[in-house]
Amino acid sequence: MDYEVSRKVWDSQIPVQFTLQAGGPLGDPLPYYTMLPRFTYLALALPKVLSSFNRRENGETILPEKVHLEVNGAPVKMYIPVGVIYDQLNQKNLESEGILEIHVRTSQPAPVDFQMVSVDSMRAMFCQTVKEADYLKTKAEVTSSLMKEDMPQLWQSVVNNNFDEYWGMIQKLMDPKDGKDFLHVPLRVYVKNQPFKQALITVKHPDGSLRTIGDAVSEILQFSTSSEASTPTSESSGTSSSEASSQEERRLISHGIDVPRHTPLIFAAKNLSYPDNFVHIVIAEAR
Amino acid sequence: MPSEYIWTVSASGIPCRIPVPSDPRCTSDVDWQEIPSSDGSPICTIVASSAAAFAIDRSGKLLILVMPTHVAIRKNIEIYNNQRWIGIWRGTFFIDRPRYSDETGRIAKDLNLNEVDPGWSWEDKWSPYLDPRKFDKEGWQYSLSFLAPKWDKQCRMYHLVRRRVLKRHMRYTSHDKWIEMSNEESRMFTELAIGGMDVMGEGETLLFALGSDGDIYRRVGIDSSCPGGRGWEIVPRIVYKDSESDDVTLISASASLATLVAITWDGKMYHRKGITRKNPIGLSWQSLPTPKNKAVICAAIGTKTMWCITADGCVWFTRLEIDEKLKEHTMKNVTSEGYQLVTQGGVSRISVSKYDQVFCISTREQIEIRTGIDAHEPSGKRFEKIVDRGEPRDQRWISIHCGSTSFSQIPEYITSSSSLQSKMELLQFRKADWRLKILEQLQETTSRSWSAMNNASEVVLNSPEENETLNGNKSPVKHIRCQIKRGDAFRSVNVVLTGKTVEISGEQMDPRSIEYSKIKYVQPSFQRLPQKYLLYVFTGSQSEFECFAFTDEKARCTFQANVENIIRESIWSSTRSSFGESMWSVSTEGDVRWHCLAELSQESKFEKRVNLGESRGLIVGDGVFDSIDCGANGSVWAVTESGSLYALSSRYQPLNAHDTVHDYRMTDERTLKMYEYQKHAVFRGFISFQGSQKGISAWMCDGRPCPPSFSSLPSPNWSWVDPTWHLEEEGEWEYSKEIDGVYETCENRNGKVRRRLWTRKARFDSSKSPWCHVEAPPITLIRVAKTSSDEGTINVVALTRDGHILKRNGVTREHFTGTSWTEILVDSSISCIHLQTDKLWCATSDGMISSRTINSSDTASFLSSSDWRHLDMDLAAIAQYFSPKSSTDMEITGVSDILYMRVGFILFRIDTNEGTISDAYPMDNLQQVMVNAQGSICVRGTNITVVREWRVVPYTDRKATIIAMRSVDRASNMGRGLKNIAFY
């Protein structure tokens, strides 16, 4: 694992503005500004936000269960890391970073496609994702051998923003002791207005050369367009020529950066993954 | 070429070696290597020292494989060519010595004899020895008669005979190949044992072989110039209780000490007593109890433990006691009940290394290692399979030997394949363009995010912790409680770092305030009596300092980091590049410090040179060294006290060293010396005393008082190797009349004071070092070229302890450790070298100076000695200052054709063009002389002086000159507490 890159990835933060539209006689309270680490979840930030709003005078106490969150007028998926939400919205203008505006609404009922995630259920989902990632990487050899305390520890490092703790844990997950290569790479690709895409992608090409992140993303997108029905595997054919032209225009965004297409997939898997062990790539059109 | 291997033999009889470098990234070669014997005959068993491996094949022949060495294994053969004058020079008379003879003339030699021992070959043709001081241009020297004691290099009228020395070199050339050992009596062997590395001298080992006739033989004459030895010597048969016990089936020896154990056919063990360097055959056989009196089939001895396998398959181990004085295992504590059962079954063959690490062949013919062995748990935790690398064809093994390995802990990569792989991966990716791009972009997005946040018009940051991170770097005020040195006493003080000044206040002392800009550099130190961790903070141009004292190392480190941050900021704000002029120094405690000599001046915005005394410096962490040199493109090389060589990672930047993580491993061993002093008192004889006299207390270490038999070490990186202090030279006292006088051993014990020497070994071990170990024989001196070649390679030349010269190939900014060594052959032992960009100078201890050009593209393993050009000048003016001691205390340096030579405290200037030597220029306490990248001579004595210009006045006869310094830059006091410096 690459300490320098991992550390920078961990330290990258995004500006977030929470606004509350509660109505009421006193008008809306002042927005709440904060810098959130990219790896964190809205579920973790929400209690602090609400406690700030609750400090306003004469307002009713707002309970987490009673609110729903909106970005750009659409409900937010709270179980996605904040950085990914930000990248999806901010893909147009990488150079001038805007503030992620999140509207906290109290109107009832909540939209059907909004799902409130509490801190506890977030933890459960997080652990589930880590296990899923590990199943892809090592057939869950690592997570099954991990101590009972270890998984909560990883979650705690995310909650407390404690890199040293995280670093100790993530190495066990990313550099397993037996030294086998990853079977598959946990990679999720986000295309606008579509659910995320995922496929079984191996670290290396069949000929033994390292697969790049560019190859991997093209293959995932190809599978999802060609055959939704059958389970795609990466061992099938390489990229077609028509595909090659379109991939030139595509940009791969993660952690707010344009990931160079020829970055080896294994490097991305180990160092550009979120704490949930998945690499989240947002596809943006070329400028 | 990593020098450490585990040797093993596969089931089909192919030997294989497993490299076990201490840091595989510095050698990058960890694949197992199969080395089949030349005729393909299967091997049965194998043993190895660090210099050679020995094996027995199925037919009982003994084979040897000599490992490649950095320094050639060479023999110099000399023949004297004698001639007599009979009108012309011609051959000698019948009554004279032969025309070709040895030096005495008694033994005739044949010039046409071309035979060499197996494995050796001639390096060159016969050529006369040319030393301009002794011989004429053709190599002749003249005299009255062959028996005359004096030989003249010029032919005069009365000379009747002449002679010259013809020399020729023989070199061992069959490295890394199995060759049959010379075997006059055509003996056959069945078993081998090797050991005694710590008892025997350099390059010598004890090799025992069990003959097929049942006798044990010892190989005679193994040394570094003859790895195969010369002949066999028989070890007497085992006689026990007056009856000859026969049929030894297995022998085994300790890698470290001279202990030989033999196992007979009925499973009894015997050990050979009294094997020493002087008497390697030993004195007598003694019976050794076996575990529960069971029959033993295999045994292996380390330093502190012995492991056995009994006939029922059980594996046992027992601790061994060592007689420190005799350096042998006493074997007195070994009892049949004292063995501990480790495991039942599963192991068929076992080998124990010098540091008691255990390797074995399991009954399933796999190689396993015992993990978790350390001083507290000598029996370890469990057997684990080791990771195989490369493609050994045969996966089953029958024999293993790990005696030549010297790691005290199992390197992680032996049992875990991933740690190495991912480290290699990292190394491979480190320089990739995409990685740099990712890092750059990450940096950019972070700053963009923050500016977006700051630009948001109504920034109301609500949570307090966010506030902290925002201003985290600027929260300036820090309070520290520590002590400060006033005179000889320490006072408790409060230290406040305000952001601009360091405020020191305390009871009974005047408050003091130091401006940040005044702080120049720090020097950590360790005091044993009373135990304190000190930090000298140097301020101002005259090297004024404050000495802060802490009771624990961690507090000192934190404070040091704070102060160094202040210095770093100052340098940051004023320096353009860290490759500019700089000085690197090594303190007496081994810490390396970098001094920046080029700062931007505040007014002009141009880079200007800073006076040495006013320069700022930063400590380069995690390493203890003895000497250092720096060169082009920021390359820095350093040598430890034990002669290990290290190169500073090119990723290391002094200015942002605090936030890059380095993970090279640096280890060193040092023998600490403690003197115990006693004074003579009337009626009471010699007794210990209180207090100190002339700076000497009853117990002294490194010239400073220490508690008796102390056990404290300067930092957590240090640990003890020896469990206790022990007396050197059998605890003999040395006597003197004066406490600070000369101490001598004397029979009748007269003198007023006496002292004796205690020693204890300590080990430095850091795994976060920026220094990368470079595999080499013990080095005394390293020189790095101040300019790089056009291709960017930097010449690096090292002088080994035994006077050989090695050139490091392929050193560039990226590959800062280089790739391989080339030996530059020399005809005599060298005592100092000087490297100009492509010209190398060297001087022998008797004052012969030679030079040659070196070419960075010559990467063969040897460069011939014939390219040396002797300096044809009479150096008698310098030679008269030589003393036995000065032969080691000598240096040369210089710019283009002007050489500067230091002999003891005296400096000479040698003009090789004009052929002049200056008068002696003595200096106070002169320690070191070197040249910087601008060609100024830098001198370290009581002060450090950079001489920009010399005044050179020739005598009227133009044969000698007088020199004086003209324009100097001098730093007072900085030289104190330093033991080596280098300038760029």
Side-chain angles (χ1 to χ4, degrees):
Chain A
M1 288 199 63
D2 191 323
Y3 184 89
E4 205 176 349
V5 173
S6 302
R7 178 87 218 203
K8 282 231 162 73
V9 164
W10 180 270
D11 285 342
S12 64
Q13 301 187 335
I14 48 169
V16 189
Q17 177 198 46
F18 289 91
T19 52
L20 176 67
Q21 283 155 337
L26 289 166
D28 296 337
L30 283 175
Y32 176 90
Y33 289 89
T34 185
M35 291 295 279
L36 288 182
R38 281 180 169 271
F39 59 78
T40 198
Y41 296 90
L42 282 176
L44 291 176
L46 194 59
K48 209 184 267 172
V49 175
L50 293 184
S51 74
S52 150
F53 288 148
N54 285 337
R55 260 182 265 143
R56 81 212 143 106
E57 289 160 33
N58 293 334
E60 305 168 42
T61 310
I62 303 165
L63 297 170
E65 306 85 68
K66 294 277 165 62
V67 297
H68 61 270
L69 306 179
E70 260 179 25
V71 169
N72 271 2
V76 187
K77 297 190 178 70
M78 288 184 72
Y79 49 87
I80 297 180
V82 174
V84 181
I85 300 177
Y86 185 76
D87 287 341
Q88 280 177 304
L89 288 171
N90 210 45
Q91 50 181 253
K92 288 271 155 50
N93 45 347
L94 268 183
E95 273 63 44
S96 59
E97 228 104 320
I99 289 192
L100 179 62
E101 288 177 34
I102 295 180
H103 301 290
V104 183
R105 292 187 195 277
T106 49
S107 60
Q108 290 295 341
V112 212
D113 45 357
F114 177 79
Q115 189 192 353
M116 187 65 213
V117 181
S118 70
V119 175
D120 281 339
S121 49
M122 192 61 239
R123 185 182 63 201
M125 289 167 92
F126 176 83
C127 294
Q128 197 50 48
T129 324
V130 173
K131 273 183 197 152
E132 185 188 339
D134 191 48
Y135 187 81
L136 289 171
K137 286 186 292 189
T138 63
K139 291 259 180 242
E141 270 181 19
V142 180
T143 40
S144 58
S145 69
L146 281 184
M147 306 268 185
K148 258 200 174 143
E149 309 88 63
D150 284 348
M151 284 295 271
Q153 202 186 329
L154 186 67
W155 173 247
Q156 277 309 313
S157 71
V158 170
V159 172
N160 301 332
N161 191 359
N162 182 339
F163 182 75
D164 293 334
E165 207 178 321
Y166 169 73
W167 181 244
M169 282 300 307
I170 198 71
Q171 276 180 305
K172 288 185 200 166
L173 287 159
M174 291 298 176
D175 287 335
K177 256 222 146 166
D178 58 2
K180 281 183 204 136
D181 272 339
F182 288 173
L183 296 171
H184 302 103
V185 173
L187 175 67
R188 284 180 180 168
V189 178
Y190 298 80
V191 181
K192 200 164 187 186
N193 301 328
Q194 287 177 27
F196 68 77
K197 300 180 193 318
Q198 200 176 329
L200 290 176
I201 296 286
T202 52
V203 173
K204 288 176 179 166
H205 287 294
D207 64 0
S209 60
L210 285 177
R211 186 172 255 127
T212 66
I213 187 116
D215 298 345
V217 169
S218 322
E219 279 166 47
I220 290 182
L221 292 178
Q222 209 185 353
F223 295 137
S224 62
T225 48
S226 61
S227 58
E228 294 279 10
S230 62
T231 318
T233 53
S234 61
E235 275 79 12
S236 58
S237 71
T239 48
S240 65
S241 56
S242 63
E243 178 67 19
S245 62
S246 70
Q247 63 170 260
E248 291 305 312
E249 295 150 26
R250 203 183 283 141
R251 285 156 61 220
L252 317 177
I253 313 273
S254 189
H255 301 285
I257 63 167
D258 256 327
V259 181
R261 304 189 59 83
H262 56 291
T263 305
L265 188 56
I266 182 70
F267 182 88
K270 288 188 176 179
N271 302 298
L272 296 181
S273 56
Y274 279 79
D276 62 10
N277 282 235
F278 269 89
V279 183
H280 298 270
I281 298 282
V282 176
I283 302 297
E285 295 307 315
R287 276 158 281 170
Chain B
M1 72 188 98
S3 57
E4 292 188 6
Y5 295 99
I6 295 162
W7 291 83
T8 175
V9 180
S10 76
S12 52
I14 298 169
C16 177
R17 62 180 179 199
I18 305 170
V20 280
S22 59
D23 190 340
R25 284 167 301 161
C26 299
T27 48
S28 76
D29 189 13
V30 288
D31 279 356
W32 296 16
Q33 300 148 14
E34 283 185 336
I35 308 174
S37 56
S38 48
D39 56 354
S41 64
I43 302 295
C44 299
T45 185
I46 202 163
V47 294
S49 69
S50 54
F54 302 89
I56 295 173
D57 71 3
R58 292 254 162 94
S59 62
K61 276 187 300 192
L62 187 52
L63 306 175
I64 179 173
L65 178 144
V66 178
M67 308 276 261
T69 46
H70 297 308
V71 174
I73 301 171
R74 270 173 118 209
K75 270 188 216 160
N76 186 12
I77 316 288
E78 284 183 354
I79 289 186
Y80 280 74
N81 180 4
N82 308 304
Q83 290 188 342
R84 181 171 281 279
W85 175 257
I86 47 160
I88 53 159
W89 289 110
R90 51 146 289 166
T92 49
F93 292 146
F94 156 71
I95 49 159
D96 277 339
R97 52 184 57 192
R99 188 189 280 197
Y100 294 101
S101 72
D102 68 337
E103 190 178 359
T104 60
R106 287 191 201 107
I107 303 161
K109 297 270 182 172
D110 184 359
L111 210 52
N112 298 320
L113 198 70
N114 270 324
E115 248 177 64
V116 285
D117 295 334
W120 294 79
S121 53
W122 290 110
E123 192 176 86
D124 45 9
K125 297 241 158 18
W126 290 105
S127 64
Y129 189 52
L130 296 169
D131 180 344
R133 296 170 304 166
K134 289 187 203 150
F135 307 105
D136 71 3
K137 289 258 178 323
E138 286 171 348
W140 295 102
Q141 57 183 180
Y142 304 84
S143 189
L144 264 167
S145 90
F146 286 116
L147 298 169
K150 238 190 114 188
W151 291 83
D152 203 329
K153 73 173 197 178
Q154 273 176 328
C155 180
R156 297 185 205 283
M157 284 302 292
Y158 50 86
H159 284 152
L160 290 174
V161 296
R162 69 173 184 177
R163 68 174 186 190
R164 60 178 175 176
V165 184
L166 296 175
K167 66 177 171 64
R168 196 174 182 186
H169 291 99
M170 221 156 84
R171 195 168 71 211
Y172 193 88
T173 48
S174 306
H175 294 289
D176 257 5
K177 264 182 255 166
W178 290 106
I179 56 171
E180 204 179 322
M181 256 163 83
S182 53
N183 188 0
E184 293 77 21
E185 290 101 357
S186 59
R187 259 191 208 105
M188 293 297 148
F189 300 96
T190 59
E191 269 302 333
L192 287 169
I194 199 165
M197 310 326 175
D198 290 349
V199 178
M200 306 295 280
E202 184 71 39
E204 297 173 21
T205 52
L206 286 168
L207 175 70
F208 295 99
L210 178 61
S212 46
D213 51 3
D215 275 325
I216 300 172
Y217 297 89
R218 185 187 83 87
R219 189 73 182 171
V220 186
I222 298 178
D223 59 37
S224 46
S225 66
C226 183
R230 292 184 182 86
W232 293 102
E233 176 185 29
I234 193 161
V235 179
R237 287 209 168 201
I238 296 171
V239 178
Y240 191 68
K241 289 184 179 156
D242 296 331
S243 65
E244 199 165 279
S245 169
D246 52 3
D247 284 350
V248 173
T249 54
L250 197 83
I251 53 174
S252 171
S254 159
S256 159
L257 302 179
T259 304
L260 175 69
V261 167
I263 299 167
T264 56
W265 66 275
D266 52 355
K268 289 202 174 70
M269 285 204 286
Y270 295 89
H271 95 272
R272 187 78 187 163
K273 233 185 136 48
I275 301 179
T276 59
R277 191 178 173 190
K278 284 186 190 123
N279 178 27
I281 211 79
L283 298 171
S284 64
W285 287 102
Q286 296 228 327
S287 172
L288 203 59
T290 59
K292 305 258 189 277
N293 295 322
K294 290 180 184 174
V296 169
I297 54 167
C298 179
I301 316 161
T303 305
K304 290 174 186 149
T305 57
M306 176 163 76
W307 293 67
C308 309
I309 307 173
T310 46
D312 54 2
C314 293
V315 180
W316 308 79
F317 108 103
T318 183
R319 292 175 202 240
L320 298 178
E321 270 173 18
I322 300 167
D323 187 324
E324 293 285 349
K325 214 185 281 176
L326 296 173
K327 288 266 178 207
E328 67 169 23
H329 289 123
T330 58
M331 297 292 184
K332 282 193 190 111
N333 67 322
V334 179
T335 60
S336 60
E337 298 302 313
Y339 287 90
Q340 273 181 38
L341 181 64
V342 178
T343 175
Q344 282 179 313
V347 178
S348 67
R349 211 147 166 157
I350 208 156
S351 175
V352 183
S353 82
K354 193 174 143 182
Y355 285 101
D356 298 307
Q357 297 298 327
V358 175
F359 285 81
C360 65
I361 305 279
S362 70
T363 42
R364 279 175 306 187
E365 301 183 310
Q366 296 297 311
I367 301 171
E368 290 185 354
I369 189 166
R370 185 79 181 171
T371 58
I373 292 179
D374 59 29
H376 309 293
E377 208 171 333
S379 62
K381 295 204 169 72
R382 62 180 162 272
F383 287 106
E384 259 180 48
K385 198 175 169 301
I386 74 171
V387 177
D388 52 356
R389 298 172 205 280
E391 269 105 40
R393 261 172 287 159
D394 203 332
Q395 297 285 350
R396 293 170 306 128
W397 309 96
I398 52 170
S399 174
I400 191 162
H401 189 257
C402 63
S404 61
T405 61
S406 66
F407 47 83
S408 52
Q409 281 172 335
I410 303 166
E412 200 187 0
Y413 65 90
I414 288 191
T415 49
S416 152
S417 62
S418 66
S419 69
L420 183 63
Q421 187 192 341
S422 66
K423 273 180 187 165
M424 290 292 192
E425 216 167 68
L426 260 191
L427 211 64
Q428 176 197 335
F429 290 159
R430 173 142 299 177
K431 297 276 185 244
D433 57 334
W434 46 262
R435 180 179 176 272
L436 300 177
K437 207 168 158 199
I438 289 174
L439 278 174
E440 189 189 331
Q441 288 192 46
L442 280 170
Q443 189 66 45
E444 281 170 17
T445 36
T446 307
S447 51
R448 274 202 307 272
S449 298
W450 280 103
S451 63
M453 190 56 165
N454 292 337
N455 290 342
S457 50
E458 330 84 331
V459 173
V460 191
L461 283 166
N462 286 317
S463 85
E465 71 220 41
E466 248 90 39
N467 258 327
E468 243 176 44
T469 45
L470 250 188
N471 300 327
N473 301 329
K474 284 169 189 158
S475 95
V477 181
K478 291 203 172 76
H479 296 265
I480 293 133
R481 253 196 95 69
C482 61
Q483 290 180 314
I484 198 163
K485 197 171 180 181
R486 284 280 175 264
D488 279 341
F490 291 93
R491 299 261 161 78
S492 291
V493 286
N494 286 312
V495 178
V496 184
L497 307 179
T498 62
K500 287 204 175 81
T501 54
V502 180
E503 303 287 343
I504 307 161
S505 57
E507 286 171 30
Q508 304 168 330
M509 66 167 279
D510 300 330
R512 187 170 142 72
S513 161
I514 306 167
E515 278 176 44
Y516 275 9
S517 61
K518 287 260 165 57
I519 302 175
K520 302 296 185 190
Y521 52 94
V522 299
Q523 183 164 324
S525 178
F526 177 63
Q527 178 183 301
R528 294 212 161 80
L529 194 69
Q531 184 176 325
K532 294 219 186 295
Y533 295 89
L534 307 178
L535 188 74
Y536 291 90
V537 177
F538 290 81
T539 55
S541 57
Q542 295 301 311
S543 300
E544 302 94 348
F545 64 85
E546 287 293 349
C547 176
F548 297 93
F550 299 84
T551 45
D552 69 316
E553 203 260 341
K554 220 171 172 184
R556 197 254 317 261
C557 267
T558 321
F559 186 62
Q560 182 181 336
N562 279 323
V563 178
E564 289 217 294
N565 273 334
I566 295 167
I567 302 167
R568 190 172 288 122
E569 296 259 306
S570 304
I571 305 179
W572 252 140
S573 60
S574 57
T575 311
R576 208 177 275 164
S577 78
S578 43
F579 288 144
E581 285 184 59
S582 56
M583 180 184 92
W584 297 78
S585 67
V586 182
S587 76
T588 40
E589 298 190 21
D591 293 306
V592 173
R593 195 168 60 216
W594 165 81
H595 274 260
C596 177
L597 299 183
E599 295 190 1
L600 280 182
S601 76
Q602 291 296 328
E603 311 85 50
S604 62
K605 294 283 172 202
F606 281 108
E607 205 160 286
K608 64 154 194 183
R609 212 174 170 284
V610 189
N611 273 349
L612 205 51
E614 290 172 19
S615 65
R616 294 193 172 86
L618 294 168
I619 298 274
V620 181
D622 281 50
V624 279
F625 294 98
D626 206 38
S627 68
I628 196 162
D629 197 25
C630 59
N633 299 351
S635 51
V636 180
W637 292 63
V639 179
T640 69
E641 207 169 274
S642 55
S644 312
L645 186 61
Y646 287 82
L648 184 63
S649 163
S650 55
R651 286 203 301 130
Y652 183 86
Q653 294 284 335
L655 285 179
N656 47 22
H658 56 303
D659 51 31
T660 10
V661 183
H662 300 276
D663 57 351
Y664 291 108
R665 194 185 167 106
M666 145 117 217
T667 54
D668 195 29
E669 264 187 21
R670 185 172 288 188
T671 306
L672 288 169
K673 290 177 179 170
M674 176 175 69
Y675 279 104
E676 178 187 2
Y677 285 84
Q678 290 191 340
K679 282 199 226 173
H680 192 265
V682 185
F683 300 127
R684 296 168 68 191
F686 284 101
I687 49 162
S688 187
F689 58 96
Q690 298 284 318
S692 74
Q693 185 187 348
K694 289 182 183 168
I696 292 173
S697 301
W699 298 85
M700 296 289 286
C701 177
D702 294 334
R704 287 197 271 180
C706 65
S709 303
F710 61 88
S711 60
S712 57
L713 284 165
S715 81
N717 286 334
W718 285 96
S719 57
W720 291 110
V721 175
D722 295 337
T724 50
W725 290 91
H726 41 84
L727 280 165
E728 276 302 289
E729 286 161 25
E730 290 157 28
E732 204 160 324
W733 292 92
E734 294 175 311
Y735 296 83
S736 174
K737 293 203 162 48
E738 293 290 326
I739 197 157
D740 54 353
V742 180
Y743 284 81
E744 285 167 336
T745 52
C746 69
E747 294 283 300
N748 46 12
R749 302 172 147 216
N750 55 22
K752 291 204 163 59
V753 282
R754 64 176 188 177
R755 71 172 187 189
R756 58 179 174 173
L757 178 60
W758 298 76
T759 59
R760 188 173 177 187
K761 252 195 224 154
R763 181 184 174 85
F764 180 89
D765 197 335
S766 163
S767 53
K768 285 185 188 150
S769 174
W771 299 93
C772 182
H773 182 238
V774 178
E775 204 273 315
I779 300 289
T780 52
L781 197 63
I782 183 86
R783 286 290 173 257
V784 187
K786 303 287 183 206
T787 48
S788 61
S789 75
D790 297 337
E791 303 89 58
T793 49
I794 304 157
N795 280 329
V796 175
V797 176
L799 178 67
T800 68
R801 283 234 168 118
D802 45 3
H804 295 98
I805 301 178
L806 295 172
K807 177 170 86 75
R808 189 73 180 169
N809 300 314
V811 180
T812 59
R813 177 106 189 106
E814 259 148 48
H815 299 276
F816 60 95
T817 54
T819 49
S820 61
W821 288 107
T822 291
E823 188 188 5
I824 301 175
L825 296 174
V826 285
D827 286 342
S828 46
S829 173
I830 302 299
S831 56
C832 60
I833 55 171
H834 166 55
L835 178 66
Q836 287 166 353
T837 303
D838 50 1
K839 194 168 189 185
L840 180 68
W841 294 86
C842 73
T844 61
S845 55
D846 56 352
M848 186 168 71
I849 298 179
S850 318
S851 69
R852 62 170 292 153
T853 54
I854 54 171
N855 191 340
S856 51
S857 57
D858 284 336
T859 53
S861 50
F862 303 104
L863 292 182
S864 152
S865 60
S866 60
D867 289 342
W868 286 103
R869 296 281 163 268
H870 300 304
L871 181 63
D872 194 6
M873 276 177 67
D874 187 10
L875 297 175
I878 298 178
Q880 61 174 318
Y881 290 95
F882 285 169
S883 64
K885 195 183 148 250
S886 78
S887 68
T888 54
D889 191 17
M890 180 164 106
E891 265 183 316
I892 47 172
T893 186
V895 215
S896 60
D897 293 332
I898 313 291
L899 289 183
Y900 287 84
M901 184 163 188
R902 179 183 69 83
V903 180
F905 292 162
I906 302 167
L907 190 65
F908 297 93
R909 176 184 187 272
I910 306 169
D911 188 328
T912 57
N913 266 351
E914 303 276 327
T916 58
I917 298 170
S918 75
D919 278 356
Y921 187 88
M923 283 181 75
D924 271 0
N925 197 23
L926 181 63
Q927 301 286 322
Q928 213 192 334
V929 52
M930 79 238 75
V931 65
N932 71 6
Q934 286 74 39
S936 303
I937 302 296
C938 311
V939 181
R940 180 172 69 90
T942 312
N943 302 321
I944 296 176
T945 316
V946 179
V947 188
R948 309 207 168 288
E949 206 184 333
W950 289 89
R951 209 157 69 97
V952 183
V953 183
Y955 279 99
T956 43
D957 60 0
R958 303 217 157 255
K959 279 187 180 155
T961 52
I962 306 171
I963 52 168
M965 294 172 184
R966 184 178 252 169
S967 156
V968 298
D969 172 10
R970 183 170 287 150
S972 60
N973 207 355
M974 240 164 93
R976 208 180 62 178
L978 297 184
K979 61 180 171 189
N980 202 272
I981 55 172
F983 277 90
Y984 180 70

